[in-house]
Amino acid sequence: MSDGNIDLSKDARALAYSTPLDQINPAQPALFQANEMWWNFERLRKEDPVHYTAESEYGPYWSVTKYNDIMSVDTNHQVFSSEPGITIADQNGDEGPLPMFIAMDPPKHDIQRKTVSPVVAPHNLQILGPLIRERAAKILDNLPIGEEFDWVDKVSMELTAMTLATLFGIDQADRRKLTYWSDVVTAVPGHGLIDTLEQKMQIFLEYHAYFTERWNERVNSEPTGDLISMLAHGPDTRDMSPREYFGNVVLLTVGGNDTTRNTISGSVYALNQNPDQYRKLRENPSLIPSMVSETIRWQTPLAHMRRRATQDFELGGKQIRKDDKVVMWYVSGNRDDEVIERPNDYIIDRARPRNHMSFGFGIHRCVGNRLAELQLQIIWEEIMKRFPDIQLVEEPKRVYSTFVKGYESMKVVIPKRA
């Protein structure tokens, strides 16, 4: 695939290493879209692992780029608070950021998380598994053979939207609304999908109205096992404000959509970039669970999480001040060669494939991580039964974002069935 990426890579690396260290700003969505953010992180891990950027479009912030430093921040919620938000970008609406349990500290965080966690408990995953497999099989059986198509649209979006609609207990006919709303939440105006902040707010009103109707339906009916019913009937959440309810809907929509969807796409990309690993998988499909974990690390579907220092604190020899913005770059920690051997390589039979930070650590560790792994494992079990090869046609189009590390589209061809 000669599309200029080699030259761009050289330019991006040269720029990263020639920029004065105190001026490095890793939070540049254009670099993420070009898949050329790696060099800034490589340099920071080597030369300035806890790095202060004084000026950026997101204001001043600290970058934490090494695995163990990130873990120490992520597991210390007393010093590093999730309030008021988890992304480097501030939400500056009239009412401030939407409340959601991932952007809360204990005890409120623990209470709300506990309310929704049964939907992804082991017993429920056993029930969901056969349904996910049935849907995956149908999606794959309907794919064209020998014709170019968009894997993101036909497979990754479709399977995750179906699962998310089931978790919310909404009609499957509305599943792509969830995909669309999830994309709008993280979209940057002027870079596709939405043009202005006003347009984004208008879509949010429709999103809010839809889920308000669903809440009203659940409140006035017997409890069921879906997320909305759990929130509407949970003793600790049934009296939450409409805004807080909507904030948690937004969290669960993005969390249930973006991570799994972009890792499904990322697995096809990774295997195409590493044909020796694809061959290894064909020869030994029992490596699928290990391949799934390696892809989650290699892809890192959410590039960062943000915290706020509640007090002055020294980290990595740097003095972080109270109320400073601290960004944990999971995408960098997953490439830390002091913790992960050959971290830039995609190795589907690693000795410890689950040794990654894509799900976070501590009280905010991804509540749906087992469901994400289940969907990925099932889709690849079904793929391997049907298709000996999925070929990438061209470089995928990536998302313009420093938060969601994902794909807008990915053109592929399946030459033949197994």
Side-chain angles (χ1 to χ4, degrees), residues 320-341:
I320 295 171
R321 299 295 181 190
K322 182 180 179 181
D323 291 326
D324 280 358
K325 185 186 295 188
V326 179
V327 178
M328 302 177 291
W329 290 106
Y330 295 152
V331 68
S332 176
N334 275 336
R335 300 298 175 105
D336 185 350
D337 62 8
E338 289 187 8
V339 177
I340 299 167
E341 186 179 359

mmCIF file with all atom_site columns, all heavy atoms in Angstrom, residues 320-341:
data_model
loop_
_atom_site.group_PDB
_atom_site.id
_atom_site.type_symbol
_atom_site.label_atom_id
_atom_site.label_alt_id
_atom_site.label_comp_id
_atom_site.label_asym_id
_atom_site.label_entity_id
_atom_site.label_seq_id
_atom_site.pdbx_PDB_ins_code
_atom_site.Cartn_x
_atom_site.Cartn_y
_atom_site.Cartn_z
_atom_site.occupancy
_atom_site.B_iso_or_equiv
_atom_site.pdbx_formal_charge
_atom_site.auth_seq_id
_atom_site.auth_comp_id
_atom_site.auth_asym_id
_atom_site.auth_atom_id
_atom_site.pdbx_PDB_model_num
ATOM 1   N N   . ILE A 1 320 ? 2.925  17.916  40.344 1.00 0.00 ? 320 ILE A N   1
ATOM 2   C CA  . ILE A 1 320 ? 1.588  18.192  39.818 1.00 0.00 ? 320 ILE A CA  1
ATOM 3   C C   . ILE A 1 320 ? 0.829  18.998  40.867 1.00 0.00 ? 320 ILE A C   1
ATOM 4   O O   . ILE A 1 320 ? 0.857  18.668  42.055 1.00 0.00 ? 320 ILE A O   1
ATOM 5   C CB  . ILE A 1 320 ? 0.862  16.874  39.490 1.00 0.00 ? 320 ILE A CB  1
ATOM 6   C CG1 . ILE A 1 320 ? 1.599  16.151  38.331 1.00 0.00 ? 320 ILE A CG1 1
ATOM 7   C CG2 . ILE A 1 320 ? -0.602 17.117  39.125 1.00 0.00 ? 320 ILE A CG2 1
ATOM 8   C CD1 . ILE A 1 320 ? 1.101  14.754  38.072 1.00 0.00 ? 320 ILE A CD1 1
ATOM 9   N N   . ARG A 1 321 ? 0.173  20.062  40.438 1.00 0.00 ? 321 ARG A N   1
ATOM 10  C CA  . ARG A 1 321 ? -0.527 20.953  41.359 1.00 0.00 ? 321 ARG A CA  1
ATOM 11  C C   . ARG A 1 321 ? -2.016 20.597  41.441 1.00 0.00 ? 321 ARG A C   1
ATOM 12  O O   . ARG A 1 321 ? -2.594 20.043  40.498 1.00 0.00 ? 321 ARG A O   1
ATOM 13  C CB  . ARG A 1 321 ? -0.382 22.409  40.891 1.00 0.00 ? 321 ARG A CB  1
ATOM 14  C CG  . ARG A 1 321 ? 1.048  22.908  40.827 1.00 0.00 ? 321 ARG A CG  1
ATOM 15  C CD  . ARG A 1 321 ? 1.682  22.964  42.205 1.00 0.00 ? 321 ARG A CD  1
ATOM 16  N NE  . ARG A 1 321 ? 3.056  23.453  42.172 1.00 0.00 ? 321 ARG A NE  1
ATOM 17  C CZ  . ARG A 1 321 ? 3.882  23.415  43.209 1.00 0.00 ? 321 ARG A CZ  1
ATOM 18  N NH1 . ARG A 1 321 ? 3.477  22.913  44.372 1.00 0.00 ? 321 ARG A NH1 1
ATOM 19  N NH2 . ARG A 1 321 ? 5.116  23.884  43.103 1.00 0.00 ? 321 ARG A NH2 1
ATOM 20  N N   . LYS A 1 322 ? -2.595 20.947  42.554 1.00 0.00 ? 322 LYS A N   1
ATOM 21  C CA  . LYS A 1 322 ? -4.037 20.737  42.737 1.00 0.00 ? 322 LYS A CA  1
ATOM 22  C C   . LYS A 1 322 ? -4.810 21.367  41.582 1.00 0.00 ? 322 LYS A C   1
ATOM 23  O O   . LYS A 1 322 ? -4.520 22.489  41.157 1.00 0.00 ? 322 LYS A O   1
ATOM 24  C CB  . LYS A 1 322 ? -4.490 21.354  44.062 1.00 0.00 ? 322 LYS A CB  1
ATOM 25  C CG  . LYS A 1 322 ? -5.973 21.143  44.353 1.00 0.00 ? 322 LYS A CG  1
ATOM 26  C CD  . LYS A 1 322 ? -6.386 21.777  45.668 1.00 0.00 ? 322 LYS A CD  1
ATOM 27  C CE  . LYS A 1 322 ? -7.879 21.573  45.904 1.00 0.00 ? 322 LYS A CE  1
ATOM 28  N NZ  . LYS A 1 322 ? -8.338 22.206  47.167 1.00 0.00 ? 322 LYS A NZ  1
ATOM 29  N N   . ASP A 1 323 ? -5.789 20.612  41.054 1.00 0.00 ? 323 ASP A N   1
ATOM 30  C CA  . ASP A 1 323 ? -6.678 20.993  39.956 1.00 0.00 ? 323 ASP A CA  1
ATOM 31  C C   . ASP A 1 323 ? -6.020 20.919  38.580 1.00 0.00 ? 323 ASP A C   1
ATOM 32  O O   . ASP A 1 323 ? -6.660 21.223  37.567 1.00 0.00 ? 323 ASP A O   1
ATOM 33  C CB  . ASP A 1 323 ? -7.288 22.386  40.157 1.00 0.00 ? 323 ASP A CB  1
ATOM 34  C CG  . ASP A 1 323 ? -8.282 22.414  41.302 1.00 0.00 ? 323 ASP A CG  1
ATOM 35  O OD1 . ASP A 1 323 ? -8.972 21.381  41.501 1.00 0.00 ? 323 ASP A OD1 1
ATOM 36  O OD2 . ASP A 1 323 ? -8.367 23.425  42.007 1.00 0.00 ? 323 ASP A OD2 1
ATOM 37  N N   . ASP A 1 324 ? -4.769 20.473  38.490 1.00 0.00 ? 324 ASP A N   1
ATOM 38  C CA  . ASP A 1 324 ? -4.155 20.265  37.177 1.00 0.00 ? 324 ASP A CA  1
ATOM 39  C C   . ASP A 1 324 ? -4.867 19.140  36.439 1.00 0.00 ? 324 ASP A C   1
ATOM 40  O O   . ASP A 1 324 ? -5.349 18.169  37.047 1.00 0.00 ? 324 ASP A O   1
ATOM 41  C CB  . ASP A 1 324 ? -2.674 19.898  37.328 1.00 0.00 ? 324 ASP A CB  1
ATOM 42  C CG  . ASP A 1 324 ? -1.780 21.107  37.563 1.00 0.00 ? 324 ASP A CG  1
ATOM 43  O OD1 . ASP A 1 324 ? -2.296 22.248  37.581 1.00 0.00 ? 324 ASP A OD1 1
ATOM 44  O OD2 . ASP A 1 324 ? -0.554 20.904  37.736 1.00 0.00 ? 324 ASP A OD2 1
ATOM 45  N N   . LYS A 1 325 ? -4.900 19.269  35.130 1.00 0.00 ? 325 LYS A N   1
ATOM 46  C CA  . LYS A 1 325 ? -5.463 18.234  34.262 1.00 0.00 ? 325 LYS A CA  1
ATOM 47  C C   . LYS A 1 325 ? -4.371 17.206  33.965 1.00 0.00 ? 325 LYS A C   1
ATOM 48  O O   . LYS A 1 325 ? -3.283 17.551  33.505 1.00 0.00 ? 325 LYS A O   1
ATOM 49  C CB  . LYS A 1 325 ? -5.961 18.870  32.957 1.00 0.00 ? 325 LYS A CB  1
ATOM 50  C CG  . LYS A 1 325 ? -6.678 17.928  32.013 1.00 0.00 ? 325 LYS A CG  1
ATOM 51  C CD  . LYS A 1 325 ? -7.014 18.602  30.686 1.00 0.00 ? 325 LYS A CD  1
ATOM 52  C CE  . LYS A 1 325 ? -8.012 19.726  30.836 1.00 0.00 ? 325 LYS A CE  1
ATOM 53  N NZ  . LYS A 1 325 ? -8.468 20.234  29.507 1.00 0.00 ? 325 LYS A NZ  1
ATOM 54  N N   . VAL A 1 326 ? -4.665 15.940  34.241 1.00 0.00 ? 326 VAL A N   1
ATOM 55  C CA  . VAL A 1 326 ? -3.695 14.856  34.063 1.00 0.00 ? 326 VAL A CA  1
ATOM 56  C C   . VAL A 1 326 ? -4.284 13.849  33.071 1.00 0.00 ? 326 VAL A C   1
ATOM 57  O O   . VAL A 1 326 ? -5.369 13.310  33.292 1.00 0.00 ? 326 VAL A O   1
ATOM 58  C CB  . VAL A 1 326 ? -3.382 14.168  35.410 1.00 0.00 ? 326 VAL A CB  1
ATOM 59  C CG1 . VAL A 1 326 ? -2.382 13.029  35.214 1.00 0.00 ? 326 VAL A CG1 1
ATOM 60  C CG2 . VAL A 1 326 ? -2.858 15.185  36.425 1.00 0.00 ? 326 VAL A CG2 1
ATOM 61  N N   . VAL A 1 327 ? -3.559 13.593  31.984 1.00 0.00 ? 327 VAL A N   1
ATOM 62  C CA  . VAL A 1 327 ? -4.044 12.691  30.939 1.00 0.00 ? 327 VAL A CA  1
ATOM 63  C C   . VAL A 1 327 ? -3.211 11.415  30.942 1.00 0.00 ? 327 VAL A C   1
ATOM 64  O O   . VAL A 1 327 ? -1.989 11.459  30.793 1.00 0.00 ? 327 VAL A O   1
ATOM 65  C CB  . VAL A 1 327 ? -3.984 13.369  29.553 1.00 0.00 ? 327 VAL A CB  1
ATOM 66  C CG1 . VAL A 1 327 ? -4.442 12.394  28.464 1.00 0.00 ? 327 VAL A CG1 1
ATOM 67  C CG2 . VAL A 1 327 ? -4.860 14.624  29.538 1.00 0.00 ? 327 VAL A CG2 1
ATOM 68  N N   . MET A 1 328 ? -3.883 10.291  31.138 1.00 0.00 ? 328 MET A N   1
ATOM 69  C CA  . MET A 1 328 ? -3.241 8.978   31.059 1.00 0.00 ? 328 MET A CA  1
ATOM 70  C C   . MET A 1 328 ? -3.360 8.483   29.626 1.00 0.00 ? 328 MET A C   1
ATOM 71  O O   . MET A 1 328 ? -4.464 8.205   29.143 1.00 0.00 ? 328 MET A O   1
ATOM 72  C CB  . MET A 1 328 ? -3.941 7.979   31.985 1.00 0.00 ? 328 MET A CB  1
ATOM 73  C CG  . MET A 1 328 ? -3.985 8.388   33.440 1.00 0.00 ? 328 MET A CG  1
ATOM 74  S SD  . MET A 1 328 ? -4.906 7.183   34.438 1.00 0.00 ? 328 MET A SD  1
ATOM 75  C CE  . MET A 1 328 ? -6.589 7.428   33.834 1.00 0.00 ? 328 MET A CE  1
ATOM 76  N N   . TRP A 1 329 ? -2.235 8.378   28.946 1.00 0.00 ? 329 TRP A N   1
ATOM 77  C CA  . TRP A 1 329 ? -2.248 7.939   27.549 1.00 0.00 ? 329 TRP A CA  1
ATOM 78  C C   . TRP A 1 329 ? -2.107 6.411   27.492 1.00 0.00 ? 329 TRP A C   1
ATOM 79  O O   . TRP A 1 329 ? -1.008 5.880   27.411 1.00 0.00 ? 329 TRP A O   1
ATOM 80  C CB  . TRP A 1 329 ? -1.127 8.617   26.768 1.00 0.00 ? 329 TRP A CB  1
ATOM 81  C CG  . TRP A 1 329 ? -1.349 10.086  26.548 1.00 0.00 ? 329 TRP A CG  1
ATOM 82  C CD1 . TRP A 1 329 ? -0.721 11.121  27.181 1.00 0.00 ? 329 TRP A CD1 1
ATOM 83  C CD2 . TRP A 1 329 ? -2.257 10.681  25.611 1.00 0.00 ? 329 TRP A CD2 1
ATOM 84  N NE1 . TRP A 1 329 ? -1.183 12.333  26.706 1.00 0.00 ? 329 TRP A NE1 1
ATOM 85  C CE2 . TRP A 1 329 ? -2.137 12.092  25.735 1.00 0.00 ? 329 TRP A CE2 1
ATOM 86  C CE3 . TRP A 1 329 ? -3.173 10.178  24.682 1.00 0.00 ? 329 TRP A CE3 1
ATOM 87  C CZ2 . TRP A 1 329 ? -2.872 12.982  24.973 1.00 0.00 ? 329 TRP A CZ2 1
ATOM 88  C CZ3 . TRP A 1 329 ? -3.919 11.062  23.920 1.00 0.00 ? 329 TRP A CZ3 1
ATOM 89  C CH2 . TRP A 1 329 ? -3.774 12.449  24.056 1.00 0.00 ? 329 TRP A CH2 1
ATOM 90  N N   . TYR A 1 330 ? -3.254 5.716   27.520 1.00 0.00 ? 330 TYR A N   1
ATOM 91  C CA  . TYR A 1 330 ? -3.243 4.260   27.423 1.00 0.00 ? 330 TYR A CA  1
ATOM 92  C C   . TYR A 1 330 ? -2.541 3.796   26.141 1.00 0.00 ? 330 TYR A C   1
ATOM 93  O O   . TYR A 1 330 ? -1.862 2.767   26.129 1.00 0.00 ? 330 TYR A O   1
ATOM 94  C CB  . TYR A 1 330 ? -4.674 3.711   27.425 1.00 0.00 ? 330 TYR A CB  1
ATOM 95  C CG  . TYR A 1 330 ? -5.458 3.916   28.690 1.00 0.00 ? 330 TYR A CG  1
ATOM 96  C CD1 . TYR A 1 330 ? -6.847 4.021   28.658 1.00 0.00 ? 330 TYR A CD1 1
ATOM 97  C CD2 . TYR A 1 330 ? -4.828 3.981   29.927 1.00 0.00 ? 330 TYR A CD2 1
ATOM 98  C CE1 . TYR A 1 330 ? -7.584 4.193   29.817 1.00 0.00 ? 330 TYR A CE1 1
ATOM 99  C CE2 . TYR A 1 330 ? -5.559 4.150   31.089 1.00 0.00 ? 330 TYR A CE2 1
ATOM 100 C CZ  . TYR A 1 330 ? -6.943 4.257   31.029 1.00 0.00 ? 330 TYR A CZ  1
ATOM 101 O OH  . TYR A 1 330 ? -7.675 4.426   32.177 1.00 0.00 ? 330 TYR A OH  1
ATOM 102 N N   . VAL A 1 331 ? -2.734 4.560   25.081 1.00 0.00 ? 331 VAL A N   1
ATOM 103 C CA  . VAL A 1 331 ? -2.146 4.209   23.788 1.00 0.00 ? 331 VAL A CA  1
ATOM 104 C C   . VAL A 1 331 ? -0.623 4.184   23.867 1.00 0.00 ? 331 VAL A C   1
ATOM 105 O O   . VAL A 1 331 ? 0.029  3.409   23.156 1.00 0.00 ? 331 VAL A O   1
ATOM 106 C CB  . VAL A 1 331 ? -2.644 5.183   22.691 1.00 0.00 ? 331 VAL A CB  1
ATOM 107 C CG1 . VAL A 1 331 ? -2.097 6.585   22.891 1.00 0.00 ? 331 VAL A CG1 1
ATOM 108 C CG2 . VAL A 1 331 ? -2.326 4.674   21.298 1.00 0.00 ? 331 VAL A CG2 1
ATOM 109 N N   . SER A 1 332 ? -0.060 4.983   24.745 1.00 0.00 ? 332 SER A N   1
ATOM 110 C CA  . SER A 1 332 ? 1.389  4.994   24.958 1.00 0.00 ? 332 SER A CA  1
ATOM 111 C C   . SER A 1 332 ? 1.812  3.907   25.947 1.00 0.00 ? 332 SER A C   1
ATOM 112 O O   . SER A 1 332 ? 2.798  3.197   25.724 1.00 0.00 ? 332 SER A O   1
ATOM 113 C CB  . SER A 1 332 ? 1.831  6.370   25.469 1.00 0.00 ? 332 SER A CB  1
ATOM 114 O OG  . SER A 1 332 ? 3.206  6.393   25.765 1.00 0.00 ? 332 SER A OG  1
ATOM 115 N N   . GLY A 1 333 ? 1.071  3.762   27.031 1.00 0.00 ? 333 GLY A N   1
ATOM 116 C CA  . GLY A 1 333 ? 1.401  2.734   28.014 1.00 0.00 ? 333 GLY A CA  1
ATOM 117 C C   . GLY A 1 333 ? 1.423  1.345   27.418 1.00 0.00 ? 333 GLY A C   1
ATOM 118 O O   . GLY A 1 333 ? 2.232  0.489   27.807 1.00 0.00 ? 333 GLY A O   1
ATOM 119 N N   . ASN A 1 334 ? 0.564  1.105   26.448 1.00 0.00 ? 334 ASN A N   1
ATOM 120 C CA  . ASN A 1 334 ? 0.511  -0.199  25.781 1.00 0.00 ? 334 ASN A CA  1
ATOM 121 C C   . ASN A 1 334 ? 1.699  -0.445  24.854 1.00 0.00 ? 334 ASN A C   1
ATOM 122 O O   . ASN A 1 334 ? 1.829  -1.541  24.295 1.00 0.00 ? 334 ASN A O   1
ATOM 123 C CB  . ASN A 1 334 ? -0.792 -0.336  24.991 1.00 0.00 ? 334 ASN A CB  1
ATOM 124 C CG  . ASN A 1 334 ? -1.937 -0.823  25.859 1.00 0.00 ? 334 ASN A CG  1
ATOM 125 O OD1 . ASN A 1 334 ? -1.736 -1.464  26.877 1.00 0.00 ? 334 ASN A OD1 1
ATOM 126 N ND2 . ASN A 1 334 ? -3.167 -0.529  25.448 1.00 0.00 ? 334 ASN A ND2 1
ATOM 127 N N   . ARG A 1 335 ? 2.536  0.574   24.674 1.00 0.00 ? 335 ARG A N   1
ATOM 128 C CA  . ARG A 1 335 ? 3.754  0.421   23.854 1.00 0.00 ? 335 ARG A CA  1
ATOM 129 C C   . ARG A 1 335 ? 5.021  0.638   24.700 1.00 0.00 ? 335 ARG A C   1
ATOM 130 O O   . ARG A 1 335 ? 6.075  0.953   24.148 1.00 0.00 ? 335 ARG A O   1
ATOM 131 C CB  . ARG A 1 335 ? 3.721  1.417   22.685 1.00 0.00 ? 335 ARG A CB  1
ATOM 132 C CG  . ARG A 1 335 ? 2.526  1.262   21.732 1.00 0.00 ? 335 ARG A CG  1
ATOM 133 C CD  . ARG A 1 335 ? 2.494  -0.085  21.042 1.00 0.00 ? 335 ARG A CD  1
ATOM 134 N NE  . ARG A 1 335 ? 1.296  -0.267  20.245 1.00 0.00 ? 335 ARG A NE  1
ATOM 135 C CZ  . ARG A 1 335 ? 1.262  -0.197  18.906 1.00 0.00 ? 335 ARG A CZ  1
ATOM 136 N NH1 . ARG A 1 335 ? 2.351  0.062   18.239 1.00 0.00 ? 335 ARG A NH1 1
ATOM 137 N NH2 . ARG A 1 335 ? 0.129  -0.412  18.251 1.00 0.00 ? 335 ARG A NH2 1
ATOM 138 N N   . ASP A 1 336 ? 4.920  0.451   25.988 1.00 0.00 ? 336 ASP A N   1
ATOM 139 C CA  . ASP A 1 336 ? 6.040  0.672   26.894 1.00 0.00 ? 336 ASP A CA  1
ATOM 140 C C   . ASP A 1 336 ? 6.906  -0.591  26.947 1.00 0.00 ? 336 ASP A C   1
ATOM 141 O O   . ASP A 1 336 ? 6.509  -1.616  27.498 1.00 0.00 ? 336 ASP A O   1
ATOM 142 C CB  . ASP A 1 336 ? 5.514  1.019   28.288 1.00 0.00 ? 336 ASP A CB  1
ATOM 143 C CG  . ASP A 1 336 ? 6.611  1.395   29.275 1.00 0.00 ? 336 ASP A CG  1
ATOM 144 O OD1 . ASP A 1 336 ? 7.800  1.207   28.946 1.00 0.00 ? 336 ASP A OD1 1
ATOM 145 O OD2 . ASP A 1 336 ? 6.275  1.870   30.371 1.00 0.00 ? 336 ASP A OD2 1
ATOM 146 N N   . ASP A 1 337 ? 8.122  -0.496  26.388 1.00 0.00 ? 337 ASP A N   1
ATOM 147 C CA  . ASP A 1 337 ? 8.966  -1.689  26.298 1.00 0.00 ? 337 ASP A CA  1
ATOM 148 C C   . ASP A 1 337 ? 9.583  -2.099  27.634 1.00 0.00 ? 337 ASP A C   1
ATOM 149 O O   . ASP A 1 337 ? 10.213 -3.156  27.724 1.00 0.00 ? 337 ASP A O   1
ATOM 150 C CB  . ASP A 1 337 ? 10.055 -1.521  25.237 1.00 0.00 ? 337 ASP A CB  1
ATOM 151 C CG  . ASP A 1 337 ? 11.022 -0.379  25.520 1.00 0.00 ? 337 ASP A CG  1
ATOM 152 O OD1 . ASP A 1 337 ? 10.954 0.207   26.623 1.00 0.00 ? 337 ASP A OD1 1
ATOM 153 O OD2 . ASP A 1 337 ? 11.834 -0.063  24.625 1.00 0.00 ? 337 ASP A OD2 1
ATOM 154 N N   . GLU A 1 338 ? 9.408  -1.308  28.679 1.00 0.00 ? 338 GLU A N   1
ATOM 155 C CA  . GLU A 1 338 ? 9.874  -1.732  29.998 1.00 0.00 ? 338 GLU A CA  1
ATOM 156 C C   . GLU A 1 338 ? 8.919  -2.736  30.640 1.00 0.00 ? 338 GLU A C   1
ATOM 157 O O   . GLU A 1 338 ? 9.278  -3.423  31.589 1.00 0.00 ? 338 GLU A O   1
ATOM 158 C CB  . GLU A 1 338 ? 10.055 -0.523  30.911 1.00 0.00 ? 338 GLU A CB  1
ATOM 159 C CG  . GLU A 1 338 ? 11.248 0.356   30.532 1.00 0.00 ? 338 GLU A CG  1
ATOM 160 C CD  . GLU A 1 338 ? 11.493 1.458   31.551 1.00 0.00 ? 338 GLU A CD  1
ATOM 161 O OE1 . GLU A 1 338 ? 10.832 1.442   32.616 1.00 0.00 ? 338 GLU A OE1 1
ATOM 162 O OE2 . GLU A 1 338 ? 12.335 2.326   31.276 1.00 0.00 ? 338 GLU A OE2 1
ATOM 163 N N   . VAL A 1 339 ? 7.707  -2.801  30.122 1.00 0.00 ? 339 VAL A N   1
ATOM 164 C CA  . VAL A 1 339 ? 6.693  -3.701  30.676 1.00 0.00 ? 339 VAL A CA  1
ATOM 165 C C   . VAL A 1 339 ? 6.263  -4.765  29.662 1.00 0.00 ? 339 VAL A C   1
ATOM 166 O O   . VAL A 1 339 ? 6.015  -5.916  30.024 1.00 0.00 ? 339 VAL A O   1
ATOM 167 C CB  . VAL A 1 339 ? 5.457  -2.899  31.153 1.00 0.00 ? 339 VAL A CB  1
ATOM 168 C CG1 . VAL A 1 339 ? 4.362  -3.826  31.658 1.00 0.00 ? 339 VAL A CG1 1
ATOM 169 C CG2 . VAL A 1 339 ? 5.858  -1.902  32.232 1.00 0.00 ? 339 VAL A CG2 1
ATOM 170 N N   . ILE A 1 340 ? 6.194  -4.378  28.407 1.00 0.00 ? 340 ILE A N   1
ATOM 171 C CA  . ILE A 1 340 ? 5.717  -5.273  27.353 1.00 0.00 ? 340 ILE A CA  1
ATOM 172 C C   . ILE A 1 340 ? 6.850  -5.517  26.359 1.00 0.00 ? 340 ILE A C   1
ATOM 173 O O   . ILE A 1 340 ? 7.386  -4.572  25.770 1.00 0.00 ? 340 ILE A O   1
ATOM 174 C CB  . ILE A 1 340 ? 4.496  -4.670  26.636 1.00 0.00 ? 340 ILE A CB  1
ATOM 175 C CG1 . ILE A 1 340 ? 3.355  -4.462  27.640 1.00 0.00 ? 340 ILE A CG1 1
ATOM 176 C CG2 . ILE A 1 340 ? 4.032  -5.573  25.490 1.00 0.00 ? 340 ILE A CG2 1
ATOM 177 C CD1 . ILE A 1 340 ? 2.223  -3.616  27.133 1.00 0.00 ? 340 ILE A CD1 1
ATOM 178 N N   . GLU A 1 341 ? 7.199  -6.768  26.177 1.00 0.00 ? 341 GLU A N   1
ATOM 179 C CA  . GLU A 1 341 ? 8.289  -7.112  25.257 1.00 0.00 ? 341 GLU A CA  1
ATOM 180 C C   . GLU A 1 341 ? 7.857  -6.859  23.810 1.00 0.00 ? 341 GLU A C   1
ATOM 181 O O   . GLU A 1 341 ? 6.732  -7.191  23.415 1.00 0.00 ? 341 GLU A O   1
ATOM 182 C CB  . GLU A 1 341 ? 8.660  -8.590  25.443 1.00 0.00 ? 341 GLU A CB  1
ATOM 183 C CG  . GLU A 1 341 ? 9.871  -9.022  24.640 1.00 0.00 ? 341 GLU A CG  1
ATOM 184 C CD  . GLU A 1 341 ? 10.235 -10.481 24.871 1.00 0.00 ? 341 GLU A CD  1
ATOM 185 O OE1 . GLU A 1 341 ? 9.541  -11.146 25.672 1.00 0.00 ? 341 GLU A OE1 1
ATOM 186 O OE2 . GLU A 1 341 ? 11.204 -10.938 24.245 1.00 0.00 ? 341 GLU A OE2 1
#
